Amino acid sequence: MSTQSHPQQTPSYTLTCRMSHEAAALERLCQVVRIRGFRIAKMAVESVLEGTDETLDIALTIQGARPVAVLQSQLEKLHTVAEVKLASPALAHAASRIA
Amino acid sequence: MNGAQHILDTFHRHSIQTVFGYPGGCIMPLYDALVDDVRVEHVLCRHEQACALAADGYARASGELGVCIATSGPGATNLITGVANAHRDSIPMLVITGQVPSGLIGTDAFQETDVLGMTLGIVKHSYLIGNANELPAILEEAMALAQSGRPGPVWIDIPKDVLLAGTTPTPMRQSTPQDHSCPNLSGALAMLRAAKKPLLYSGGGISLAHAEKNFREFAQCSGLPAVVTLKGIGNAGKHSAYNLGMLGMHGSRAANRAVDECDLLLVIGARLDDRATGKLDGFAPNARTIHIDADAAEFNKLRDADLALRGDLNAILSGLSAALQEAPLAISEWQKQCQTSRTTGGFQAADNEEPLAPITGPAFIRQLSRVTPDDTVIACDVGQHQMWVAQQYQFDHPRHHLTSGGLGTMGFGLPAAIGAQFANRQSTVINVTGDGSFMMNAQELATIRRYNLPLKLIIMDNQCLGMVRQQQELFYSNRESQIDLNDNPDFVAMARAFDIPALKIERTDQIRRGVETILAYNGPMLLHVAIAREENVWPVVQPGGSNTDMIDETRRTPADNKEQVA
Ligand SMILES: Cc1ncc(C[n+]2csc(CCOP(=O)(O)OP(=O)(O)O)c2C)c(N)n1
Ligand SMILES: [Mg+2]
C-alpha cells in the first residue's frame, strides 16, 4: 500500500481540523488517517475553550498516495469532528516528525 | 435514580424491549437494577460474541436498534467480533459495557481493558463516561447516532461507580436533525435518458434507509435491468422482471455480463466492495457511474463517480420514480437482452431426479425455498452454504436474508437467528449453517432451549471447511490444508443433549420430508443435512480476478489430481 512508498516522493497535504475534546479524540483522528492510507509527518494540537465546550484545533501535515478528498470525507464523518479544511497540496520535503 | 436504573428507564422510554447480554463484575449494578425492572427483557446468551451477534440479527430483522451488554475486560473483548460485524454492515447497535471504577482506570485493575482504545476502528462512535451526570445526554445521543445517516454500532463504556451514582441530567446536546433532503436529480435523469444500456446496482443501503418500498417502485417504473450485492438480495422482490441476481465472485453470469456491457451504472446504497466488483480495472469498463448513498465517504473511494448524490434514499428514489413515470426510459432492446441472458445465465441448479442420490447443496436450498412460508427469515453462516442460499433462495425482502457481508463472520448465523426470532416472534426463522460455522457458536443451543425459541437449524454438513477447500482446490493446486472436519461430533446427538429434537437426512428423496418435519414441529428443531464433500460453488471468480473471467464447473481440476497435505 501507499504507506510503504518513499516519503520524499509521496504527495503531502496540510489539513486543519476542529473537533470536540472528548476521550480518545486524537486517537480516533490518527486511526482514521492511518487506516485510510496516510502517515502523519507533522501535527500541532491546541485546546480551545468556547463557552463550556472544549475543542481541539489541529494542524496536520500528512503524506499518502491515495486521493486526499477521500480521507477528508472520512474525517468529516467522525462524530466529534466539526470541520476539516484542506490547504493546497505540496510535495513533502521535510523528514517526518510527530509533534 | 442511579446510572444503571437510568439506562433501563431510557430503554423503556425508547420502547427497547429486548436486550442481549451477559453479566460480570463491573456491570453488576445494571444487572442489579434489572431485578426490579420487568419492562426490559434481558436475553442471556452463552457467550458475549453471541450477545453482539444476536443484537445484530435483531436489528437486521426488525430495522430497529439492537442492544447488547457485557462486563469489562473479557466481556468487552468477547463482544468485539460481533460489534465489528455490525460495523462492517452498518447495523444500528448500542453496546454497553461496564468498566472498572473511574479511580482505577489506568492502574491495570482486575478485568480492566482499554475498551475505548481497542474498539476505535469498529464503531461509528464510542464514549467513556467520565461523570454520572453526562450519562443521560450521552445515552440519548448514542441511540440517535447509531440509527441516523449511515447506521452503525455506538459503544458506551461505563465505569462501575458511574452506574451506581445518582444522575442529575445535564441539558441534552443538540443533535443534528436527520437529513431528509433530496439533491437535484436533473443530472441523474439526463444521464439515465442518454444511456442505452443503463443498469441498476443496489446494495444493503436500501433496507438500512428503510427505502424498500420506494426502491421497488423505482425498479418497476424505471424498468431498469438490475443486479444486487449480497446484502441487496431481496431488494427487488421475488417477482421482479428484470432482476439478474447477485453480481460478483459467486454472482450469476447474467449479472456479471450485464455489468460488463452496461453503459451506465446506477449504484444505490452500495459501496462497490471487492467481492462484488472483482478487479476494478475490468469492472463495468464501458459505463459512466451515478453513485447515490447516504454516506459521502463512499463516493470516489474505489471508483470515480461521474455524478454522486448524497441524501435521503427515500426522497431520491421517489423523486426519480415520479420523473420516470411521466416519461419512461426507452430501453426495450436492452431489457430484452437482459431477460434472455437471465434465462441462460441465471443461477440454475438442476433438481436431482434420482431419489437415492446424495443431496447437493444448491438443490437442497432450492427445495427449501419452495417449501418455506413467504415471511421466513434465513440467517446464514459463512461459507459455501451461504453462497448457495444467496444464489438459490428466492427472497422477497432484504430483511428476510440475514448474512454477514462485510466481515464474513463464521458463527454469525445461530445468534443472529436468535435475535431475529426475538424481533419476529411469529415468523419462521431458520439458521442455515455449515458444519464449521455451527461449531463457532454452538453453545447458543442452550439459549434456544432456555427461551424455547421455535428456531429451525439446518446444518449443511460437508465434513469440511468447504469454502476454503474449494479455494485450495481451484487456486492452490488442490493442496488441502487444515480443512478436514471428518471428526465432527454427532450433530443430532448434540442437539438432543440440549433437549432440541433433531434428525439427519442424506438422500435426495428425504429433503422434502426433512424440511417439512422441522417446519411443522412446534418448537426448535435441527436438521442435519449430509452433503458431498467435493461440491463447489459455481460460478466463481478468482480472488483479485476480473468478473468477466468466471470459472464454472467444466473447468474443475480432476479429482485424481488431488494432493493431501493435511
Ligand atoms: C471467524 C472466521 N474464521 C475464519 C473464516 C474463514 N472462512 C471462510 S468460509 C470458511 C469455511 C466455512 O466452513 P463451513 O461453515 O463448514 O461452511 P462450508 O463452506 O463448508 O459450507 C472459513 C474457515 C471466517 N470467515 N470467519
Ligand atoms: Mg462445511
Side-chain angles (χ1 to χ4, degrees), chain A residues 22-24 27-28 31 36 67 70 73-74 77-80, chain B residues 116 120-121 123 125-127 141 145 150 173 295 297 300-301:
Chain A
E22 288 187 5
E27 286 158 82
R28 214 182 288 277
Q31 193 259 345
R36 298 295 169 184
V70 176
S73 52
Q74 291 289 355
K77 221 167 87 168
L78 290 176
H79 178 59
T80 40
Chain B
L116 201 65
L120 287 174
V123 293
H125 193 56
S126 48
Y127 305 85
E141 183 176 280
L145 197 56
R150 178 177 182 169
R173 304 178 189 203
D295 180 3
N300 308 321
K301 188 180 79 176

Coordinates of all heavy atoms in Angstrom, one line a residue, chain A residues 22-24 27-28 31 36 67 70 73-74 77-80, chain B residues 116 120-121 123 125-127 141 145 150 173 295 297 300-301:
Chain A
E22 N -13.1 15.2 23.4 CA -13.6 14.0 24.1 C -12.6 13.0 24.3 O -11.5 13.1 23.6 CB -14.8 13.4 23.4 CG -16.1 14.3 23.4 CD -17.3 13.6 22.8 OE1 -17.2 12.5 22.5 OE2 -18.3 14.3 22.7
A23 N -12.9 12.0 25.1 CA -11.9 10.9 25.4 C -11.6 10.3 24.0 O -12.4 10.1 23.2 CB -12.5 9.9 26.3
A24 N -10.3 10.1 23.8 CA -9.8 9.4 22.6 C -9.9 10.2 21.3 O -9.8 9.6 20.2 CB -10.3 8.0 22.5
E27 N -6.8 10.0 19.2 CA -6.5 8.7 18.7 C -7.4 8.3 17.6 O -7.1 7.7 16.6 CB -6.8 7.7 19.9 CG -5.7 7.6 20.9 CD -6.3 7.1 22.2 OE1 -6.3 5.8 22.3 OE2 -6.6 7.9 23.1
R28 N -8.7 8.8 17.7 CA -9.7 8.5 16.7 C -9.2 9.1 15.3 O -9.3 8.5 14.3 CB -11.0 9.1 17.1 CG -12.2 8.2 16.7 CD -13.5 8.9 17.1 NE -13.7 8.9 18.6 CZ -14.3 7.8 19.2 NH1 -14.7 6.8 18.5 NH2 -14.5 7.8 20.5
Q31 N -6.2 7.3 14.0 CA -6.5 6.0 13.5 C -7.1 6.1 12.1 O -6.7 5.3 11.2 CB -7.5 5.4 14.4 CG -7.7 3.9 14.3 CD -9.0 3.6 13.5 OE1 -9.9 4.4 13.3 NE2 -9.1 2.3 13.0
R36 N -6.7 4.9 6.4 CA -7.1 5.3 5.1 C -5.9 5.6 4.2 O -6.0 6.1 3.1 CB -8.0 6.5 5.1 CG -9.3 6.3 5.9 CD -10.2 5.3 5.1 NE -11.3 4.9 6.0 CZ -12.2 3.9 5.6 NH1 -12.1 3.3 4.4 NH2 -13.2 3.6 6.4
P67 N -6.2 9.5 -2.9 CA -6.8 10.8 -3.0 C -7.1 11.4 -1.6 O -7.8 10.7 -0.8 CB -8.1 10.5 -3.8 CG -7.9 9.2 -4.4 CD -6.9 8.4 -3.6
V70 N -10.8 11.7 -0.2 CA -11.5 10.5 0.4 C -11.2 10.5 1.9 O -12.0 10.3 2.7 CB -11.0 9.2 -0.3 CG1 -11.6 8.0 0.4 CG2 -11.4 9.2 -1.7
S73 N -13.3 13.2 3.6 CA -14.7 12.9 3.9 C -14.8 11.8 5.0 O -15.7 11.8 5.8 CB -15.5 12.5 2.6 OG -14.8 11.5 1.9
Q74 N -13.8 11.0 5.1 CA -13.8 10.0 6.2 C -13.6 10.8 7.6 O -14.2 10.4 8.6 CB -12.6 9.0 6.1 CG -12.8 8.0 5.0 CD -13.9 7.0 5.2 OE1 -14.5 7.0 6.3 NE2 -14.2 6.2 4.2
K77 N -16.7 12.6 8.7 CA -17.7 11.7 9.1 C -17.6 11.4 10.6 O -18.6 11.0 11.3 CB -17.5 10.4 8.4 CG -18.8 9.7 8.0 CD -18.5 8.6 7.0 CE -18.2 7.3 7.6 NZ -18.1 6.2 6.7
L78 N -16.5 11.6 11.2 CA -16.3 11.4 12.7 C -17.2 12.3 13.4 O -17.3 13.5 13.2 CB -14.9 11.6 13.1 CG -13.8 10.6 12.6 CD1 -12.4 11.0 13.0 CD2 -14.1 9.2 13.1
H79 N -17.9 11.7 14.4 CA -19.0 12.4 15.1 C -18.4 13.7 15.8 O -19.1 14.7 15.9 CB -19.6 11.5 16.1 CG -20.7 12.1 16.9 ND1 -21.8 12.7 16.4 CD2 -20.8 12.3 18.3 CE1 -22.5 13.2 17.3 NE2 -21.9 13.0 18.5
T80 N -17.2 13.6 16.3 CA -16.6 14.7 17.1 C -15.9 15.7 16.3 O -15.5 16.7 16.8 CB -15.6 14.1 18.1 OG1 -14.9 13.1 17.5 CG2 -16.4 13.5 19.3
Chain B
L116 N -12.2 1.7 25.0 CA -12.3 2.8 24.1 C -11.2 2.7 23.0 O -11.5 2.8 21.8 CB -12.2 4.1 24.8 CG -12.8 5.3 24.2 CD1 -14.3 5.2 24.0 CD2 -12.4 6.6 25.0
L120 N -11.8 1.6 18.6 CA -12.0 2.8 17.7 C -12.3 2.4 16.3 O -13.1 3.1 15.7 CB -10.7 3.6 17.8 CG -10.4 4.4 19.0 CD1 -9.0 5.0 19.0 CD2 -11.5 5.4 19.3
G121 N -11.7 1.4 15.8 CA -11.9 1.1 14.3 C -13.1 0.3 14.0 O -13.4 0.0 12.8
V123 N -16.3 1.0 15.5 CA -17.6 1.6 16.0 C -17.8 2.9 15.1 O -16.9 3.4 14.6 CB -17.5 2.0 17.5 CG1 -17.4 0.8 18.4 CG2 -16.3 3.0 17.7
H125 N -19.2 5.4 16.7 CA -18.7 6.3 17.7 C -18.6 5.6 19.1 O -19.3 4.5 19.2 CB -19.5 7.6 17.8 CG -18.9 8.7 18.6 ND1 -17.6 9.2 18.3 CD2 -19.3 9.3 19.7 CE1 -17.3 10.1 19.2 NE2 -18.3 10.2 20.0
S126 N -17.9 6.1 20.0 CA -17.8 5.5 21.3 C -17.6 6.5 22.4 O -17.1 7.6 22.1 CB -16.7 4.4 21.3 OG -15.5 5.0 20.8
Y127 N -18.0 6.2 23.6 CA -17.8 7.1 24.7 C -17.3 6.3 26.0 O -17.6 5.2 26.2 CB -19.2 7.6 25.2 CG -20.0 8.3 24.1 CD1 -20.8 7.5 23.2 CD2 -20.0 9.7 23.9 CE1 -21.6 8.1 22.2 CE2 -20.8 10.3 23.0 CZ -21.6 9.5 22.1 OH -22.4 10.1 21.1
E141 N -27.9 10.6 22.9 CA -27.1 10.9 21.7 C -26.6 9.6 21.0 O -26.7 9.5 19.7 CB -25.8 11.8 22.0 CG -25.0 12.2 20.9 CD -23.9 13.1 21.3 OE1 -24.1 14.3 21.5 OE2 -22.7 12.6 21.4
L145 N -27.5 8.5 17.2 CA -26.3 8.4 16.3 C -26.3 7.0 15.6 O -26.1 6.9 14.4 CB -25.1 8.6 17.1 CG -23.8 8.9 16.4 CD1 -24.0 10.1 15.5 CD2 -22.7 9.2 17.4
R150 N -25.8 7.0 7.9 CA -25.4 5.6 7.7 C -25.3 4.9 9.1 O -24.4 5.3 9.9 CB -24.1 5.5 7.0 CG -23.6 4.1 6.8 CD -22.3 4.1 6.1 NE -21.8 2.8 5.8 CZ -20.8 2.5 5.0 NH1 -20.2 3.4 4.4 NH2 -20.4 1.2 4.8
R173 N -27.5 17.4 24.5 CA -26.7 18.0 23.4 C -27.6 18.2 22.2 O -28.5 17.5 22.0 CB -25.6 17.2 23.0 CG -24.7 16.8 24.1 CD -23.6 15.9 23.6 NE -22.9 15.3 24.7 CZ -21.7 14.9 24.6 NH1 -21.0 14.9 23.5 NH2 -21.0 14.4 25.6
D295 N -23.9 8.1 2.6 CA -22.5 8.4 3.2 C -21.6 8.9 2.1 O -21.2 8.2 1.2 CB -22.0 7.0 3.7 CG -20.6 7.2 4.3 OD1 -20.1 8.4 4.4 OD2 -20.0 6.2 4.8
A297 N -18.6 9.6 2.2 CA -17.3 9.0 2.2 C -17.2 7.8 1.2 O -16.1 7.3 0.9 CB -16.9 8.6 3.6
N300 N -16.3 8.0 -4.8 CA -14.9 8.0 -5.3 C -13.9 7.2 -4.5 O -12.7 7.5 -4.6 CB -14.4 9.5 -5.5 CG -15.4 10.3 -6.3 OD1 -16.0 9.8 -7.2 ND2 -15.6 11.5 -5.8
K301 N -14.4 6.4 -3.6 CA -13.5 5.6 -2.8 C -12.8 4.6 -3.6 O -11.6 4.4 -3.5 CB -14.2 5.0 -1.6 CG -13.4 4.3 -0.6 CD -14.2 3.7 0.6 CE -14.8 2.4 0.2 NZ -15.5 1.7 1.3

